[in-house]
Amino acid sequence: MELCKANSQLERQILQVNPLLEAFGNAQTVMNDNSSRFGKYIQLRFQNASVKGAKINEYLLEKSRVVHQDEGERNFHIFYYMLGGISAAEKEIYGLLNPVLYRYINNQYGTDEMITQWSTKYLEVCNAMDMVGFHEQEKVDMMTILAGILSLGNISFEPQENGILKVTDQSTGWLKAAAGQFGVQEDELLNCLICTMSVTRGESINRYHSQQQAEGILDIFGFENFAVNRYEQLCINLANEQLQYFFNHHIFLMGQREYKEEGIDWETITFKDNKPILDLFLAKPVGIFSLLDEQSAFPQATDKNFVEKLNSSFKGNAHFEVVRSHMPVFNIVHYAGKVQYNASGFLEKNRDTIPANIRGLFINSVTPLLSVLFAATISRTGTLMPQSRAKLLKSIDDNFNSTRKLSVGAQFKHSLTVLMEKMFAANPHFIRCIKPNSSKKPDLLDSKLIMDQLRYNGLLETIRIRRDGYSWRPLFEDFAQRYRILLIKPDIPSNKETCLCILNNTDLKDWKCGHSRLFFKYWHQEELAKLIERLEHAATVIQKNYLKYICRRKYRKLIAELKQRKLQLEKEEEERRRKEREEEEERKRHLDMEQENQRPPVPMPRKRKPAPQPRPRSVIPDIVHRHLPPVPRPRSKIEVASLVKVTDTINDELPQADSIHEDEEVLQRQVKRMNTIHWFRQTQARKVVTNGAFPCWFHGMISRRQAEDLMTDKPPGCFLIRVGQSRNGYTLTYRGKDRCRHYLIEMQSNGKYVILGEDRAHASLIDLIEYHKTVGIQPFMEVLVDPCGQKCKQQPDYEELQNIIKTSSIDEENVDALEDNEQLHHELIEHPSLLSSSHMKDPHVPPVMKRIFERNARAEAKNIPKKWTQDESNIYNKNSSRPFPRLYPSIRLAMREIQQIQQHFSDHTNDSETKNS
């Protein structure tokens, strides 16, 4: 993606997905501080050398790490990022206390330096969520669920006299906190923790858990000890075996098969093929995973029975070893070495069952994120699918609700099959990561460890086959098109004869010619590149001399033109002087004539005026004179001007082809402008206007040229933000040292503002400006300094938006009233005290809210205080400008109860120590 940059926001969003996945899927292990605890397959979609989309598939997330980590290891990163990054006020909102209190992080935290790093990472994760498109309420729900997981880990149980478990007095507060954070009822969550409900022939049966089963409710894979290899390591090692087989198949098998098909003499290289190991795992009907699914189908089967079944089935297999032990263990001889597995918990982990009552509890949660997750359809590869796609695949794919649910092993096998199909259809390039040492220290090289990795990864055999074999195998056509220049002949065909002619004109040795392609050693490409380079140098010399000749010819031609021009100028100058002389002579002649005319004239003798003659009578009769048309009177200037004006108006109203086209463009621009004004009024006015006025850096829908004119006499660092003329968004105009730059500001679907090309989202334009006053804008890293205001003695360029300020108060009232009607359901969730009997008839009110109303009604009948008091509601209303957890008042009360219980036990412990002393 770095090489194919198109400076689009999609690229930034795709790049932000990876750190987001790593926060939730990576963790610190003994070998790696940022170990990926899941597998992922990334597909990038390209079109015209630019990225158009991406798809990521994940495989086998290590869910057991949530509830247990070995010494020197940590939980997933997101828990530490959250605890280190949120403020004290946010911790109170989410229901988080001192991190050392939580069992799911081993009651341990970190140093001040680590906490600072976690805080920075948390801000990066929040920004990644904004860039991807998460809304604020979704982020709050996500963090609340994470807090609920931590609270759930602190719930402990103790048996009663009747054998049924109950929550200990010390952990009742944690139960209430988890229920509030998950958005469910406290009593229903307790029932799901202590028993499993199943329906048989229409009858509900409750099966109560043991204390160990109750305290591992989220441990779908069960507890694991990384000093012992269990079910997770078996699946991971199977994936590694499959990938190693693909590597061997591509490097060794495909290469040697191609030699034989092309008729190349080749001595077969022996390598360690791991196909029998894959058959040991995946063969049907007798394979490790097939036998595991078979045993998982029997409710009475045990892990020991499963191991006995393996021992009897694979006793003579070279890659399976029977272990004599009282523990259910067995050995597998993998490609990389022998591994011993402890089968304790294999059957339960392979079933991966979630009881129906737990699933129903979270489907009915008032937190939409939990409800969506537990109601989602699970594909054959074990991943969640959107409901729309799940409906399309329902007829061909098993889902979560089907009666025949796939086991974890079956899902994992199917995901590996799909992955291998995609990889075999591609042209792979392999990157092998070699770890220099096992102590995670810099500048330390463990030679034995490196050699072991090279041997286990098959790189030693790869080096041998690359050295002895033919690593470059171009087709005849490709080779001829690339190297035909070596023949220095035009119009030659791209066939086998041309390739042989090219090679025979070189000094290359040890190459082979097959039926459809050529076979070269790895150094042949370098030698051919040197030949091409020699020709390129010769071409450069030819071009240099040719350009010299062309330039010299142009120079001589230019000199000749200059000389000709000089002669022409001389002729023109002589002609000009001649004309000036003639004009001067003509001027003198006219002057002499004027002087001659100014002399007094000589009087002439007066002539006698002739006598007038009588006028002859007209031959036209008088009757004819009477019928001649009258001579029209000349029009005045005013009348002529009015006629011209009317004529022009009529001509303008006539439809012309060019004018119609221009009118359509003008109309389109007006429509876009009106749409932008409507968008600004509906979504942006209240965000931009502060204290009844626009900020000094804000400008209306001015053009690029107008913005640059405002910046003409401004110093570098001056900036303004203007409303887009043809799109819903903004443009940041910046005065650089040499020119003005224009940065597009895009609006995310979640209401965030992002400068195109940047990887940070902002809640408002003010936040965006404040951030870039200290952090430069890519790629020139320019920092905002001074805002550019309006021109003096002129109306502001946002005059058409001024009415928005005047009517904002009226609009706010109308919008608030509308939002009150639309958010009634949300308020019922956040304020259960608002529930009344009329809401009980509303089918859209969640069942959990109806149960809260019923519980409050019973509490009033018994004079018991409600779960949510008026004080809690007032606290919530004061902070209603930001999103809160769905059942925030319940979480707040639970936190108080936990603190009181801890204080009570702390005082009791101190009193006991005082008495003993």
Side-chain angles (χ1 to χ4, degrees):
M1 291 186 63
E2 183 68 24
L3 294 176
C4 299
K5 268 189 176 179
N7 197 28
S8 68
Q9 205 59 32
L10 176 62
E11 294 176 357
R12 296 293 176 179
Q13 290 177 328
I14 295 174
L15 290 174
Q16 289 293 326
V17 171
N18 197 55
L20 191 59
L21 289 178
E22 288 189 354
F24 284 85
N26 287 24
Q28 174 183 321
T29 64
V30 178
M31 297 292 292
N32 191 345
D33 287 347
N34 188 31
S35 176
S36 179
R37 310 312 300 165
F38 68 104
K40 63 184 172 188
Y41 181 79
I42 305 176
Q43 291 176 299
L44 295 178
R45 304 289 184 181
F46 290 89
Q47 184 179 1
N48 298 329
S50 62
V51 180
K52 296 300 180 183
K55 180 181 179 181
I56 301 177
N57 295 330
E58 81 285 351
Y59 302 93
L60 195 68
L61 176 65
E62 188 186 34
K63 294 179 285 188
S64 59
R65 182 170 291 270
V66 174
V67 297
H68 176 76
Q69 310 92 41
D70 279 338
E71 187 67 26
E73 302 201 349
R74 294 186 181 274
N75 210 322
F76 292 103
H77 291 327
I78 187 61
F79 292 106
Y80 304 96
Y81 294 171
M82 177 182 65
L83 292 171
I86 63 177
S87 62
E90 290 175 322
K91 287 182 179 179
E92 182 179 358
I93 291 174
Y94 297 137
L96 291 171
L97 298 176
N98 192 340
V100 298
L101 296 176
Y102 295 108
R103 182 171 64 89
Y104 279 175
I105 59 174
N106 286 338
N107 304 106
Q108 298 176 357
Y109 203 34
T111 61
D112 293 339
E113 181 181 359
M114 297 174 66
I115 295 174
T116 302
Q117 295 177 358
W118 292 338
S119 178
T120 304
K121 288 291 186 180
Y122 177 75
L123 295 178
E124 294 176 0
V125 169
C126 291
N127 180 68
M129 292 183 182
D130 291 336
M131 291 290 293
V132 172
F134 283 96
H135 293 271
E136 288 297 325
Q137 186 62 58
E138 292 174 332
K139 291 163 58 179
V140 169
D141 291 345
M142 195 179 302
M143 296 303 162
T144 307
I145 293 172
L146 292 174
I149 294 174
L150 293 177
S151 299
L152 193 65
N154 284 8
I155 300 176
S156 56
F157 301 87
E158 60 184 5
Q160 303 181 86
E161 294 181 357
N162 57 3
I164 300 177
L165 296 177
K166 73 169 186 176
V167 177
T168 61
D169 295 338
Q170 192 173 359
S171 61
T172 54
W174 294 110
L175 176 64
K176 296 177 181 178
Q181 290 158 339
F182 289 147
V184 298
Q185 280 287 80
E186 174 188 336
D187 52 351
E188 293 184 357
L189 177 60
L190 176 61
N191 290 333
C192 290
L193 292 175
I194 63 175
C195 71
T196 299
M197 182 186 68
S198 59
V199 179
T200 303
R201 295 179 181 177
E203 183 180 357
S204 298
I205 301 175
N206 292 329
R207 180 172 59 88
Y208 290 94
H209 297 157
S210 64
Q211 185 172 353
Q212 181 180 0
Q213 291 174 328
E215 295 176 351
I217 186 63
L218 283 188
D219 182 12
I220 299 176
F221 273 161
F223 293 98
E224 75 170 2
N225 182 4
F226 284 96
V228 179
N229 296 293
R230 300 187 185 274
Y231 185 76
E232 294 80 7
Q233 278 67 47
L234 183 74
C235 295
I236 292 173
N237 289 337
L238 171 60
N240 291 331
E241 288 284 355
Q242 187 74 71
L243 293 174
Q244 186 63 44
Y245 171 76
F246 174 72
F247 178 79
N248 293 342
H249 184 272
H250 183 78
I251 297 298
F252 301 109
L253 295 179
M254 291 178 62
Q256 299 189 70
R257 186 186 304 122
E258 192 172 35
Y259 295 152
K260 295 180 181 179
E261 293 175 354
E262 293 287 337
I264 303 299
D265 295 334
W266 174 254
E267 182 181 354
T268 303
I269 293 180
T270 58
F271 64 95
K272 190 176 180 181
D273 189 7
N274 65 337
K275 185 64 167 60
I277 304 177
L278 291 178
D279 294 337
L280 174 66
F281 279 99
L282 304 175
K284 293 182 179 180
V286 182
I288 292 178
F289 275 87
S290 297
L291 294 176
L292 182 60
D293 287 345
E294 178 185 320
Q295 293 295 312
S296 300
F298 296 105
Q300 303 301 325
T302 63
D303 299 321
K304 188 174 181 180
N305 299 141
F306 168 65
V307 174
E308 292 175 353
K309 190 77 171 179
L310 294 181
N311 293 338
S312 61
S313 301
F314 306 117
K315 189 174 183 179
N317 193 303
H319 298 281
F320 183 88
E321 292 184 0
V322 178
V323 179
R324 303 298 179 185
S325 173
H326 64 283
M327 298 291 293
V329 295
F330 59 93
N331 291 343
I332 298 293
V333 182
H334 285 280
Y335 181 88
K338 183 168 62 175
V339 179
Q340 184 176 99
Y341 295 97
N342 189 326
S344 298
F346 264 43
L347 298 182
E348 188 62 29
K349 294 172 184 178
N350 188 55
R351 297 183 183 117
D352 192 14
T353 55
I354 298 180
N357 56 343
I358 292 181
R359 188 164 172 268
L361 172 69
F362 288 115
I363 286 178
N364 292 322
S365 170
V366 298
T367 303
L369 180 58
L370 267 182
S371 180
V372 168
L373 289 177
F374 279 85
T377 300
I378 297 181
S379 67
R380 296 182 63 188
T381 60
T383 58
L384 296 180
M385 290 194 305
Q387 288 293 334
S388 58
R389 187 183 175 203
K391 292 178 181 179
L392 295 176
L393 300 179
K394 187 175 182 181
S395 59
I396 60 174
D397 205 356
D398 293 325
N399 55 46
F400 199 102
N401 299 319
S402 62
T403 56
R404 180 180 173 270
K405 181 180 179 298
L406 293 177
S407 65
V408 173
Q411 294 173 359
F412 185 59
K413 286 193 300 181
H414 185 74
S415 65
L416 279 181
T417 302
V418 173
L419 178 62
M420 289 300 107
E421 289 175 355
K422 294 178 180 179
M423 295 182 69
F424 273 107
N427 184 21
H429 297 266
F430 298 95
I431 299 176
R432 290 293 191 178
C433 299
I434 305 299
K435 200 171 185 63
N437 60 77
S438 58
S439 56
K440 296 186 290 188
K441 293 182 179 179
D443 302 326
L444 180 62
L445 195 68
D446 189 339
S447 300
K448 184 179 182 304
L449 177 64
I450 291 178
M451 286 300 298
D452 290 341
Q453 295 177 81
L454 293 176
R455 186 178 298 107
Y456 294 157
N457 289 334
L459 292 182
L460 296 181
E461 290 88 349
T462 303
I463 294 171
R464 179 185 172 192
I465 196 173
R466 289 297 188 187
R467 181 186 59 199
D468 298 339
Y470 301 93
S471 58
W472 183 37
R473 308 158 196 169
L475 294 171
F476 292 147
E477 182 180 0
D478 297 337
F479 182 83
Q481 289 180 354
R482 184 173 181 181
Y483 295 102
R484 65 174 60 186
I485 190 175
L486 294 176
L487 292 178
I488 318 179
K489 293 181 181 180
D491 301 329
I492 56 176
S494 300
N495 52 24
K496 179 179 180 180
E497 288 73 19
T498 300
C499 296
L500 295 177
C501 185
I502 294 173
L503 293 172
N504 291 331
N505 288 339
T506 65
D507 297 330
L508 295 182
K509 298 179 181 180
D510 297 333
W511 53 270
K512 300 289 184 181
C513 181
H515 301 310
S516 63
R517 63 182 67 232
L518 297 168
F519 292 81
F520 295 97
K521 300 289 186 178
Y522 63 90
W523 67 80
H524 284 150
Q525 272 186 306
E526 296 180 4
E527 296 184 4
L528 287 170
K530 291 179 181 179
L531 295 177
I532 294 292
E533 185 179 356
R534 181 183 175 186
L535 287 180
E536 288 178 349
H537 177 70
T540 303
V541 174
I542 294 174
Q543 290 174 352
K544 179 183 68 175
N545 288 277
Y546 176 74
L547 290 175
K548 182 181 70 173
Y549 166 75
I550 293 296
C551 292
R552 181 176 294 175
R553 189 175 66 176
K554 288 183 178 180
Y555 174 75
R556 290 175 177 174
K557 184 178 179 181
L558 180 62
I559 292 297
E561 290 178 353
L562 289 175
K563 290 181 179 180
Q564 185 69 23
R565 181 63 178 168
K566 183 179 179 181
L567 294 175
Q568 183 70 20
L569 290 175
E570 290 177 353
K571 291 181 179 180
E572 292 177 355
E573 182 66 19
E574 185 179 355
E575 181 69 19
R576 185 182 62 79
R577 291 177 181 177
R578 186 184 63 78
K579 289 182 178 181
E580 288 180 354
R581 289 195 301 267
E582 292 179 353
E583 289 176 357
E584 183 65 21
E585 293 176 357
E586 184 69 17
R587 190 177 62 82
K588 288 181 179 181
R589 189 174 63 82
H590 281 287
L591 184 62
D592 293 342
M593 291 180 63
E594 289 178 358
Q595 291 178 355
E596 184 70 21
N597 294 332
Q598 289 178 359
R599 294 177 183 179
V602 177
M604 298 294 292
R606 176 177 297 180
K607 294 183 180 181
R608 178 176 295 182
K609 186 175 181 182
Q613 297 292 332
R615 184 176 181 180
R617 185 175 180 86
S618 176
V619 296
I620 303 175
D622 293 340
I623 185 73
V624 177
H625 283 284
R626 287 196 298 268
H627 291 282
L628 288 177
V631 178
R633 183 171 55 90
R635 297 179 183 273
S636 66
K637 294 183 178 180
I638 298 177
E639 291 177 348
V640 172
S642 63
L643 285 173
V644 172
K645 184 176 181 181
V646 171
T647 305
D648 293 341
T649 305
I650 295 174
N651 292 334
D652 291 340
E653 292 178 355
L654 292 177
Q656 303 292 334
D658 295 338
S659 62
I660 292 176
H661 183 67
E662 293 176 358
D663 291 343
E664 290 180 354
E665 293 181 351
V666 172
L667 182 60
Q668 290 178 359
R669 287 196 296 268
Q670 291 177 350
V671 170
K672 289 182 179 179
R673 194 176 189 89
M674 294 303 298
N675 289 338
T676 303
I677 294 176
H678 179 74
W679 163 79
F680 185 86
R681 179 171 185 173
Q682 295 296 325
T683 64
Q684 301 296 306
R686 288 185 291 177
K687 296 182 180 180
V688 178
V689 175
T690 55
N691 298 325
F694 288 117
C696 57
W697 41 259
F698 179 80
H699 290 257
M701 287 182 286
I702 61 176
S703 65
R704 181 190 185 107
R705 178 62 60 85
Q706 290 174 324
E708 293 179 352
D709 291 341
L710 290 172
M711 295 285 189
T712 302
D713 56 348
K714 301 296 182 181
C718 190
F719 69 95
L720 61 86
I721 291 182
R722 53 191 173 91
V723 181
Q725 292 182 309
S726 60
R727 64 184 184 89
N728 294 341
Y730 301 92
T731 300
L732 171 64
T733 301
Y734 180 85
R735 181 70 169 88
K737 293 182 180 179
D738 52 349
R739 52 167 291 186
C740 288
R741 308 189 199 280
H742 304 272
Y743 299 97
L744 296 180
I745 301 177
E746 289 199 350
M747 295 288 300
Q748 300 281 100
S749 59
N750 54 6
K752 304 293 183 179
Y753 301 84
V754 181
I755 295 180
L756 187 64
E758 288 286 325
D759 54 3
R760 185 176 182 86
H762 306 273
S764 65
L765 291 176
I766 297 177
D767 293 344
L768 183 147
I769 289 174
E770 292 300 323
Y771 175 78
H772 286 292
K773 284 184 178 180
T774 56
V775 180
I777 304 174
Q778 297 180 8
F780 303 102
M781 303 309 294
E782 295 171 327
V783 179
L784 305 181
V785 181
D786 298 320
C788 177
Q790 302 287 330
K791 283 189 176 181
C792 299
K793 299 180 181 180
Q794 290 186 7
Q795 290 184 347
D797 50 34
Y798 49 74
E799 185 67 23
E800 58 189 341
L801 305 177
Q802 283 281 45
N803 293 331
I804 299 174
I805 304 178
K806 299 176 183 178
T807 60
S808 61
S809 60
I810 302 176
D811 290 341
E812 287 178 5
E813 294 177 2
N814 296 334
V815 171
D816 290 341
L818 180 62
E819 290 178 351
D820 288 341
N821 294 330
E822 292 178 348
Q823 296 182 357
L824 175 61
H825 175 68
H826 176 72
E827 291 186 0
L828 292 177
I829 293 176
E830 304 294 355
H831 305 284
S833 58
L834 299 178
L835 284 169
S836 62
S837 58
S838 61
H839 295 133
M840 295 301 99
K841 301 178 181 179
D842 188 354
H844 299 290
V845 175
V848 65
M849 303 309 302
K850 296 181 179 180
R851 289 191 292 271
I852 291 174
F853 171 78
E854 295 173 356
R855 184 184 62 189
N856 290 342
R858 291 194 301 267
E860 288 181 353
K862 299 180 181 179
N863 295 325
I864 300 176
K866 292 183 179 180
K867 294 294 182 181
W868 291 274
T869 64
Q870 188 64 31
D871 294 337
E872 299 295 338
S873 299
N874 292 335
I875 293 174
Y876 183 85
N877 289 331
K878 292 178 182 178
N879 298 277
S880 59
S881 60
R882 56 159 298 160
F884 271 65
R886 307 286 173 167
L887 298 182
Y888 166 69
S890 178
I891 298 173
R892 185 177 176 88
L893 288 176
M895 290 298 103
R896 289 182 180 178
E897 183 174 341
I898 294 173
Q899 292 171 341
Q900 292 174 358
I901 293 175
Q902 288 180 342
Q903 184 65 33
H904 172 74
F905 278 91
S906 177
D907 295 341
H908 180 72
T909 303
N910 293 334
D911 293 342
S912 301
E913 292 178 354
T914 303
K915 292 180 180 179
N916 294 333
S917 61

